[in-house]
Amino acid sequence: MSYLRALPALLMLILYPVLVIALVVIVVALLVLLIIELQSGRAIVFAVIILLGLLGGIGYAIKELVTRPKPSIEGPSLDRAQAPALWAQVDELAAAVGTPTVDRIHVLPEANAAVTRIGGERIMLIGLPVLGAMSVGQLRSILAHELGHYAGGRYALGSFLLRAQDALITIARNSSGLWGLLFRGYARLYIWAAQLSSREMERAADGFSLRLAGSDAMASAFERLVETELAWGAYWKNFVGPSFAVTGARAPLVEGLQQMLVEEHETIAPIAQQVIAEQKPSWQDSHPLLRERIQRARTHPSPPAQHGDAPALSLLPRDIDPIERTVLSDPDRDLWSWDRMFQRTQAARENRSAADLAHDLVAAGVVPAPTPRAILETQMQVPVGARMLAVPQQRTFDPETIRPEQIQQLLCSTIFRDRMLAAGAMHMQVDFGSDATFTDRSGVVDVPQLIGDGGPEATRRVLAELERRGAALDTPYEVPTSAEAEAIPEDTLLAALTNGSGTGLMPRDLWVLSQGLLIVRSRINGFAMLAGGSREDRQAERVTRRLEQKGLQALRAEKGSIWIPAKSIEEVNVRGGGVRIRVSGRDKELKVKPAQYSATLGDIGEALQRVCPGRLTTGRGRTPLGGA
């Protein structure tokens, strides 16, 4: 049935080159008639531009397809000796599906599973979060589905249709004007035709899940997969990434994810159900809607497999650290417990916040020195919050959104938490939720109650408590580095403006990196520019690939590149979609303005504010961001 349903898509692929050739012939004929009719040099130039626009888009797209890097797998491979129980499940399911077993199993740092074929080898890809969050029964359902793609030669057909789809979309993305509309329309029609087959293949693969793992396992696996994907994203963004960057160490990935799934279940589960209920069909998605697949499982009950409730992690060795460390880009970090990771990370965050506030107060002339004692003693004598808001040039607090007493409460609480953690007098509980809980030897420390209204008496109470605990109060806070650059690798790309003009004759990219700005030649193919330029997602891929392949140091050394360290930036003015940069030691501003083929990747304003806080302005009037 899948082969019959694939006929419309295959027919469209056969007709595609015929359409392109016919289109080129028609366009050439019309342009020749136009030249003969008008008999002018302008007509010839116009005709050449139109023809190059068509051929350029097609030619550049073909180049992109031909030069695209060969597929590779970054995750570690699990051999049979490492995970015999997991391999036994895969072998058993492959035999039941009626297909040869896979040649390799790889573990990836993502909440997903898939099968692929590279160099004739069948490869199973399993996300580490999937292994950490699923039961054996749920994992069997996922594995049966993926192995089902190999059954009956479906993988070869599906893979061919997907590669053809990728080629058509690439051509469409790199064509503009009338040609772009035509090629995008044809690509959409092809995808619609291909979905007749691809979605049938997905339903057939689901059939293996139903038969080999049971309906309950199949339905719960889909739901658990959405929960795991949501949790993994938040876990990596809010805990793993920041904590590993700040400490330079690592903690058990699966252990932390499992704890987060338990602690935040009442929050994550309803969101997952909402995602499933509100999922909308996409013209590019080859899969049926999740709620339809879950409903199919619920309405076709089948008995569960034995040992289905055991954790999927039981199929791996007891010590999974060798697997976890190879999933990370820097596997040689020291292994810490999550408790130690939380203490160090929170201490660094509190110290950074306190240092920011201290130096802002000193810069505004509100306190005499950036020490905890100087700030608290000043607050006991004068209303620091009111004085801070009265300083016109300060940009730390917005008078319209914060009251003076709130500033004083913030100062007390930040300094108290920072000094108590630094002294080891207070402990932060390991909690992957949003609220931080602090304890000492007597139990939970109620910081808001201790802080009170942040007035003179409350501040005196905070100072006395810190002195009693032996906290260091006379050491000045260090000047904060811009954008926490010390905690982020220097080649981390935060945002970019591509193919801009204004600095030099050639198109330039402006890359916002964690420790500065890089203006670099865009190196985009001339045919692609003539054909309408790459679309935003292709530009993002181009920038990312170039940074990974060449490296930041080599790009900074390229002819025409301008590297601007964050500390040398005096002002960044954002206006009209472009950026003007005033750099110490330069007489003229550097400018990167959007041009015809420009694209903005990420949030430029937010990234600039992170790299050079307090130096970002907007508009012709150069209004300070967040200023009065």
Side-chain angles (χ1 to χ4, degrees):
M1 182 62 72
S2 297
Y3 292 98
L4 293 176
R5 289 177 177 269
L7 287 178
L10 295 173
L11 181 61
M12 290 191 70
L13 288 177
I14 294 171
L15 292 176
Y16 190 77
V18 177
L19 171 69
V20 173
I21 294 171
L23 183 62
V24 173
V25 171
I26 292 172
V27 170
V28 170
L30 289 175
L31 293 177
V32 170
L33 290 174
L34 179 66
I35 294 170
I36 294 173
E37 185 68 24
L38 297 180
Q39 295 184 354
S40 69
R42 289 184 178 179
I44 295 175
V45 173
F46 175 77
V48 170
I49 290 176
I50 294 295
L51 186 59
L52 286 179
L54 172 61
L55 298 179
I58 298 172
Y60 182 71
I62 293 173
K63 172 183 173 294
E64 286 280 290
L65 292 171
V66 172
T67 60
R68 184 169 296 179
K70 293 182 179 180
S72 60
I73 301 172
E74 298 179 357
S77 175
L78 292 179
D79 59 37
R80 291 181 175 273
Q82 282 180 289
L86 178 61
W87 271 96
Q89 292 284 345
V90 173
D91 292 343
E92 176 198 332
L93 292 169
V97 167
T99 184
T101 192
V102 297
D103 299 295
R104 286 189 281 158
I105 297 176
H106 282 261
V107 178
L108 305 180
E110 57 186 63
N112 201 359
V115 289
T116 187
R117 182 177 289 173
I118 299 178
E121 285 189 312
R122 295 182 171 207
I123 303 171
M124 171 74 74
L125 309 174
I126 309 175
L128 182 65
V130 173
L131 291 166
M134 299 280 180
S135 67
V136 171
Q138 292 167 336
L139 181 63
R140 282 175 59 88
S141 174
I142 292 173
L143 297 179
H145 172 93
E146 297 303 334
L147 290 167
H149 286 303
Y150 286 134
R154 293 189 184 93
Y155 178 82
L157 175 61
S159 178
F160 173 76
L161 294 177
L162 192 60
R163 289 197 304 272
Q165 174 179 319
D166 188 40
L168 294 184
I169 291 176
T170 300
I171 293 174
R173 283 175 177 166
N174 291 282
S175 302
S176 65
L178 179 61
W179 318 128
L181 290 174
L182 178 64
F183 290 137
R184 285 193 292 274
Y186 199 93
R188 284 204 174 207
L189 284 175
Y190 168 81
I191 292 171
W192 174 81
Q195 284 177 351
L196 296 175
S197 172
S198 61
R199 292 188 176 178
E200 178 64 25
M201 292 180 191
E202 292 296 334
R203 293 188 183 94
D206 283 346
F208 289 107
S209 293
L210 274 173
R211 180 165 62 87
L212 300 176
S215 55
D216 289 341
M218 175 178 165
S220 63
F222 284 134
E223 294 170 339
R224 188 62 166 173
L225 192 61
V226 177
E227 293 175 8
T228 304
E229 187 175 5
L230 291 171
W232 180 254
Y235 175 61
W236 197 273
K237 178 182 178 182
N238 300 327
F239 299 99
V240 175
S243 299
F244 287 21
V246 167
T247 62
R250 61 188 180 90
L253 291 173
V254 172
E255 176 188 312
L257 176 65
Q258 290 176 329
Q259 185 171 342
M260 182 176 184
L261 283 166
V262 172
E263 292 177 353
E264 295 298 297
H265 177 73
E266 294 184 0
T267 301
I268 295 172
I271 296 175
Q273 291 299 324
Q274 184 178 357
V275 169
I276 294 170
E278 296 179 357
Q279 183 188 14
K280 295 180 180 179
S282 169
W283 65 276
Q284 287 184 291
D285 195 353
S286 61
H287 293 73
L289 294 176
L290 270 179
R291 59 178 175 271
E292 295 176 358
R293 302 167 78 182
I294 293 172
Q295 180 63 23
R296 180 189 178 191
R298 300 292 189 202
T299 54
H300 292 76
S302 56
Q306 291 183 347
H307 311 298
D309 292 333
L313 211 59
S314 63
L315 301 177
L316 297 180
R318 281 178 183 255
D319 182 12
I320 63 169
D321 182 63
I323 299 172
E324 287 193 355
R325 67 186 302 165
T326 50
V327 164
L328 298 171
S329 58
D330 185 4
D332 296 327
R333 296 168 178 259
D334 291 337
L335 179 63
W336 288 6
S337 68
W338 271 111
D339 182 79
R340 184 182 181 189
M341 186 70 69
F342 263 68
Q343 308 317 311
R344 292 291 185 89
T345 304
Q346 190 65 25
R349 286 175 177 169
E350 297 292 354
N351 185 259
R352 171 62 192 246
S353 298
D356 281 336
L357 289 170
H359 285 277
D360 287 345
L361 290 168
V362 171
V366 176
V367 299
T371 65
R373 187 183 299 279
I375 296 170
L376 295 175
E377 288 182 346
T378 302
Q379 186 155 294
M380 289 190 301
Q381 299 169 9
V382 298
V384 169
R387 285 200 172 188
M388 189 67 176
L389 292 180
V391 178
Q393 67 269 27
Q394 71 86 19
R395 299 174 184 172
T396 309
F397 302 108
D398 185 354
E400 296 183 0
T401 60
I402 192 168
R403 301 190 305 274
E405 57 270 24
Q406 290 176 312
I407 296 176
Q408 291 158 192
Q409 289 173 325
L410 176 64
L411 288 172
C412 281
S413 61
T414 303
I415 291 174
F416 179 78
R417 290 195 301 266
D418 167 53
R419 295 295 84 197
M420 289 286 282
L421 287 171
M426 193 167 69
H427 185 87
M428 182 183 179
Q429 289 186 354
V430 176
D431 186 350
F432 291 95
S434 56
D435 298 327
T437 302
F438 298 96
T439 61
D440 61 9
R441 294 179 179 178
S442 303
V444 175
V445 178
D446 192 340
V447 178
Q449 183 179 10
L450 176 68
I451 300 306
D453 61 359
E457 289 303 320
T459 305
R460 187 173 288 105
R461 188 166 60 244
V462 170
L463 180 58
E465 182 66 14
L466 289 174
E467 289 176 333
R468 187 177 72 84
R469 299 295 188 108
L473 299 174
D474 298 308
T475 303
Y477 284 111
E478 294 182 1
V479 178
T481 55
S482 62
E484 294 183 339
E486 75 284 351
I488 307 175
E490 66 172 0
D491 60 351
T492 300
L493 182 68
L494 304 178
L497 172 63
T498 65
N499 299 325
S501 63
T503 300
L505 298 176
M506 298 294 293
R508 302 295 179 106
D509 291 346
L510 171 65
W511 297 359
V512 184
L513 298 152
S514 62
Q515 295 188 22
L517 310 180
L518 178 65
I519 299 176
V520 61
R521 289 181 179 177
S522 65
R523 304 288 185 190
I524 190 167
N525 184 283
F527 276 120
M529 297 285 284
L530 187 61
S534 294
R535 295 298 187 267
E536 183 173 313
D537 53 350
R538 299 297 291 164
Q539 296 209 39
E541 181 181 335
R542 172 179 66 82
V543 169
T544 304
R545 187 192 308 170
R546 191 175 175 195
L547 184 58
E548 290 177 350
Q549 291 179 348
K550 297 209 67 172
L552 179 58
Q553 299 303 321
L555 288 168
R556 285 167 55 174
E558 272 191 359
K559 183 179 179 180
S561 293
I562 302 174
W563 169 246
I564 311 164
K567 61 184 179 182
S568 69
I569 298 172
E570 295 181 354
E571 179 194 358
V572 178
N573 177 247
V574 179
R575 73 169 87 155
V579 177
R580 298 165 185 260
I581 310 157
R582 189 156 50 86
V583 184
S584 59
R586 280 183 175 266
D587 295 332
K588 293 185 178 180
E589 288 184 331
L590 298 171
K591 304 175 185 177
V592 180
K593 299 181 290 185
Q596 184 177 359
Y597 308 117
S598 293
T600 301
L601 313 176
D603 190 323
I604 286 283
E606 181 180 332
L608 290 171
Q609 180 71 352
R610 184 172 185 176
V611 173
C612 43
R615 289 166 281 171
L616 186 63
T617 63
T618 59
R620 291 184 178 275
R622 298 182 179 260
T623 304
L625 191 65

